[in-house]
Amino acid sequence: MSKVLIIGAGGVGTVVAHKVAQHPDVFTEVMIASRTQSKCDAIVEAIGNPNIKTAKVDADNVDELVSLFSSFKPEIVINVALPYQDLTIMEACLKAGVNYLDTANYEPKDEAHFEYSWQWAYKKRFEEAGLTAILGCGFDPGVSGVYTAYAAKHHFDEIHYLDIVDCNAGNHHKAFATNFNPEINIREITQNGRYWEDGKWVTTSPLEFHKDLTYPNIGARDSYLLYHEELESLVKNFPTIKRARFWMTFGQEYLTHLRVIQNIGMASIEPINYNGMEIVPLQFLKAVLPNPQDLGENYEGETSIGCRIRGIKDGKECTYYVYNNCSHQEAYKETGMQGVSYTTGVPAMIGAMMFLKGLWKRPGVWNVEEFDPDPFMEALNMYGLPWHEVFNGDLEL
Ligand code: NDP
């Protein structure tokens, strides 16, 4: 018996639920809980399996979570609500004796700032409780860390340079939309860039550095240096890394909209008073932007995410590029969601599967690259995110 509880019924939650439902041998009982129960019910209806249970829960409220965990008694919680809820859900897991997995690190609501320290601080308590917490198990963070661990295990004695490259070459035919939660997405992109070099962090202005990178089956795309959370754990877990960076593609149309949104104050997370009501401009913006979950039907093209790595093997310098391309339309056909939700939800399901099979079960709080990458890599090929390798090619970086 392996009961799993999915928290969050957005784009990623929908994909996780579809993928979990495809493996009843591993996930014998499933519940989806979120703030709006009707969204959980709609997912169950789309999957067509009435045995999947649903519930309403406010994941900001530890007591509510504990009472749900105590009645359903899941073995593991897959947290695909928002990063704001990570700590309350971890706290409730400790109280109710439940294992934990998420796809994004904790962020306080009133500060666009994310780092692992808040969640790493739970390590001892999870260890003492005999519970496993797996952090950042989407694509990036997630597969990006597993790719790096796989490269370190099989292809390098020392990794020296790591560049994570994330391209979305899809077209959703909207003037402006974000591919996942707009509030989280815009907070991430508008903050300073940051990368690791020679033992310290180097800060850049938002989107200051960019260059054309060539993506397989896509071609050249302007790619911008951003800070991304997995850099923090990867440079800690692979201390031979001299430089680690993260690049993401953006089109000019997207950047122009983003600039206007910032210039007119709509990206602000400072509450303002409007007609006697306190509102947060970015939250209001989220309410008027297209819902990322509705983009799938007309989304064409594909994503391409991978790791470009340079290092030493048997005394010789070598390069390695490992990546996945994911078609938005294929993702939509299978789950009703676009590729960005799909590439996040599939690894979350696989992470939970690794845990339930006992392959990634270790009391404490861990980032994905701290587990054996091999069974996870095998599962990526089997469950919808096949990967490809290029040895000793030009990394362009
Ligand atoms: P959505 O906004 O589509 O969905 C979030 C869901 O969480 C919604 O169903 C929402 O409820 C629910 N929720 C929000 N607050 C609460 C609460 N207090 N209690 C209970 N439920 C709550 O987001 P996505 O599906 O796009 O993203 C989900 C997660 O995945 C995010 O943390 C995101 O950062 C992460 N992510 C990770 C990626 C990776 O590669 N690692 C890539 C993309 C996303 P309601 O429907 O009522 O609003």
Side-chain angles (χ1 to χ4, degrees):
M1 286 283 283
S2 297
K3 286 189 185 181
V4 61
L5 172 62
I6 301 162
I7 303 185
V12 179
T14 303
V15 173
V16 173
H18 273 82
K19 298 305 280 193
V20 156
Q22 290 169 7
H23 300 284
D25 49 325
V26 178
F27 305 99
T28 51
E29 271 188 65
V30 182
M31 177 187 272
I32 312 169
S34 193
R35 186 166 50 190
T36 315
Q37 191 171 351
S38 57
K39 292 192 185 173
C40 307
D41 295 335
I43 296 173
V44 173
E45 204 180 310
I47 294 173
N49 177 349
N51 294 329
I52 300 177
K53 299 184 173 70
T54 65
K56 174 177 164 54
V57 73
D58 176 5
D60 289 322
N61 185 321
V62 177
D63 292 340
E64 251 189 58
L65 288 165
V66 171
S67 105
L68 178 67
F69 294 0
S70 304
S71 63
F72 182 60
K73 297 190 174 30
E75 193 133 335
I76 187 165
V77 164
I78 302 179
N79 167 18
V80 280
L82 297 179
Y84 313 134
Q85 279 85 48
D86 288 1
L87 299 188
T88 41
I89 298 177
M90 287 177 84
E91 202 59 54
C93 281
L94 283 168
K95 288 206 157 92
V98 178
N99 300 283
Y100 174 87
L101 178 145
D102 69 27
T103 65
N105 72 9
Y106 174 69
E107 227 180 296
K109 268 190 194 143
D110 54 0
E111 197 189 333
H113 172 77
F114 46 87
E115 60 176 50
Y116 277 116
S117 61
W118 288 292
Q119 292 182 274
W120 284 343
Y122 280 78
K123 191 175 180 83
K124 201 154 190 295
R125 290 172 68 198
F126 270 79
E127 242 166 52
E128 283 167 3
L131 296 171
T132 302
I134 301 170
L135 305 185
C137 198
F139 206 106
D140 44 347
V143 176
S144 54
V146 176
Y147 280 170
T148 307
Y150 186 78
K153 181 171 173 183
H154 297 286
H155 303 305
F156 291 94
D157 296 327
E158 283 187 13
I159 291 181
H160 291 166
Y161 300 97
L162 168 67
D163 286 282
I164 299 165
V165 292
D166 180 330
C167 170
N168 182 1
N171 182 359
H172 45 53
H173 303 286
K174 303 262 186 220
F176 182 81
T178 63
N179 295 295
F180 64 96
N181 187 287
E183 192 185 325
I184 304 297
N185 192 203
I186 292 174
R187 279 167 67 128
E188 174 179 278
I189 296 163
T190 54
Q191 66 166 329
N192 281 335
R194 201 147 65 108
Y195 63 97
W196 180 259
E197 191 162 43
D198 296 331
K200 56 182 189 315
W201 292 106
V202 181
T203 302
T204 69
S205 302
L207 309 181
E208 182 184 343
F209 290 110
H210 60 107
K211 65 178 293 183
D212 269 2
L213 296 176
T214 315
Y215 295 89
N217 205 35
I218 290 168
R221 287 286 192 282
D222 207 1
S223 308
Y224 290 77
L225 189 148
L226 294 185
Y227 179 62
H228 225 240
E229 62 198 63
E230 67 264 51
L231 297 178
E232 186 186 5
S233 68
L234 287 169
V235 298
K236 175 171 164 268
N237 290 319
F238 297 95
T240 60
I241 292 180
K242 296 177 184 176
R243 188 186 64 207
R245 301 180 295 191
F246 184 95
W247 304 84
M248 189 178 270
T249 59
F250 297 108
Q252 279 313 311
E253 180 78 356
Y254 182 93
L255 292 176
T256 303
H257 276 83
L258 194 66
R259 200 165 52 243
V260 173
I261 284 168
Q262 281 183 285
N263 285 344
I264 62 174
M266 286 305 293
S268 168
I269 58 170
E270 289 301 319
I272 57 154
N273 194 296
Y274 177 74
N275 275 353
M277 221 172 97
E278 200 170 78
I279 61 165
V280 172
L282 182 55
Q283 285 173 5
F284 177 75
L285 179 70
K286 173 182 183 271
V288 295
L289 283 177
N291 183 347
Q293 288 163 59
D294 299 335
L295 299 176
E297 194 173 359
N298 296 312
Y299 221 137
E300 294 161 348
E302 57 189 347
T303 62
S304 179
I305 317 176
C307 291
R308 299 186 184 188
I309 301 175
R310 189 145 34 107
I312 299 286
K313 179 76 176 170
D314 299 329
K316 277 202 290 230
E317 176 157 289
C318 47
T319 72
Y320 177 65
Y321 178 21
V322 52
Y323 67 90
N324 160 265
N325 275 29
C326 177
S327 146
H328 288 292
Q329 266 313 299
E330 290 302 315
Y332 180 73
K333 272 190 234 149
E334 186 186 335
T335 63
M337 292 294 134
Q338 32 84 356
V340 176
S341 303
Y342 189 86
T343 53
T344 310
V346 172
M349 179 282 285
I350 294 174
M353 180 186 266
M354 294 294 111
F355 169 79
L356 292 171
K357 288 185 168 178
L359 299 164
W360 280 24
K361 192 173 193 170
R362 198 191 308 157
V365 173
W366 309 99
N367 292 90
V368 291
E369 66 270 18
E370 295 176 271
F371 294 102
D372 182 5
D374 291 359
F376 195 104
M377 290 291 276
E378 203 182 309
L380 285 171
N381 279 337
M382 290 161 70
Y383 304 131
L385 296 175
W387 41 278
H388 312 276
E389 303 174 300
V390 180
F391 292 94
N392 293 319
D394 175 10
L395 297 182
E396 305 175 296
L397 288 160

